[in-house]
Amino acid sequence: MSNLFAIAYPDLATAQAVRNEAVGLQTQKLIDLEDAVVVERREDGRIKLHQQVSTTGAGAASGALWGGVIGLLFFMPLLGAAVGGAAGAAVGASTDIGVDDDFMREVAQHLQPGTAAVFLLVRRATADKVVPALARYGGRIIQTSLSAGAEAELRATVEASRVQPAPASAPASAPASA
């Protein structure tokens, strides 16, 4: 079962950096993401979703391929590819994978204009490595699918990793006097 985490940030650049960090952690096999979306509340109040995967593009490519193959049967591969691509794009645009777009827009209505949030749908994660890596960006947890106790523990862990003291440097040795 996947868990949802929505974390607010003061600007779009920070939210995108967090998503990029999470994707990087995924390549290291420290987190398994089902979806990672940056949601921006623009200065004019409009909501913009920055999806990680474009289902429209994938649908268009798949549709063009199958349309071209079917078009070969009728000796019109270009027409088949064009029609298949358009149909695939339409199907892809109407397909929603991962976090529900309407839900993200609803949550984003509570963000201040000019801010952004990252929605991570996580299948599994190595928390002791992922939490500190993402906590260094700051942010405020605004929504999770965790139980109340687990969410409180996560908030405490995030706060603790933010305020980690810098490593103490070794004391300088006193110069020898002659």
Side-chain angles (χ1 to χ4, degrees):
M1 181 174 128
S2 298
N3 285 308
L4 174 68
F5 301 91
I7 308 160
Y9 293 96
D11 56 52
L12 177 62
T14 305
Q16 289 176 325
V18 169
R19 180 178 61 184
N20 293 342
E21 180 79 19
V23 169
L25 292 169
Q26 181 166 282
T27 61
Q28 298 174 37
K29 306 294 186 213
L30 296 173
I31 190 170
D32 184 11
L33 296 171
E34 190 173 326
D35 199 8
V37 181
V38 173
V39 180
E40 171 189 15
R41 178 132 191 231
R42 295 184 171 167
E43 290 294 339
D44 62 5
R46 293 187 356 206
I47 306 295
K48 169 97 171 110
L49 302 181
H50 301 270
Q51 301 277 358
Q52 180 182 10
V53 177
S54 170
T55 55
T56 304
S62 176
L65 175 69
W66 284 108
V69 169
I70 293 169
L72 280 173
L73 296 173
F74 298 103
F75 303 107
M76 294 184 285
L78 294 178
L79 179 62
V83 171
V91 169
S94 65
T95 302
D96 186 19
I97 59 170
V99 184
D100 181 62
D101 291 355
D102 292 334
F103 170 74
M104 288 187 287
R105 285 186 182 94
E106 180 182 316
V107 171
Q109 289 295 329
H110 301 288
L111 294 174
Q112 295 296 317
T115 63
V118 175
F119 286 76
L120 300 173
L121 193 55
V122 179
R123 287 186 191 104
R124 64 159 197 81
T126 307
D128 62 330
K129 296 191 181 192
V130 172
V131 171
L134 298 182
R136 67 188 174 98
Y137 292 94
R140 177 178 51 88
I141 298 172
I142 54 175
Q143 180 100 22
T144 75
S145 62
L146 300 173
S147 67
E151 185 172 328
E153 185 177 323
L154 174 65
R155 288 178 191 275
T157 303
V158 168
E159 286 302 316
S161 64
R162 279 191 201 151
V163 294
Q164 295 253 337
S169 59
S173 58
S177 55

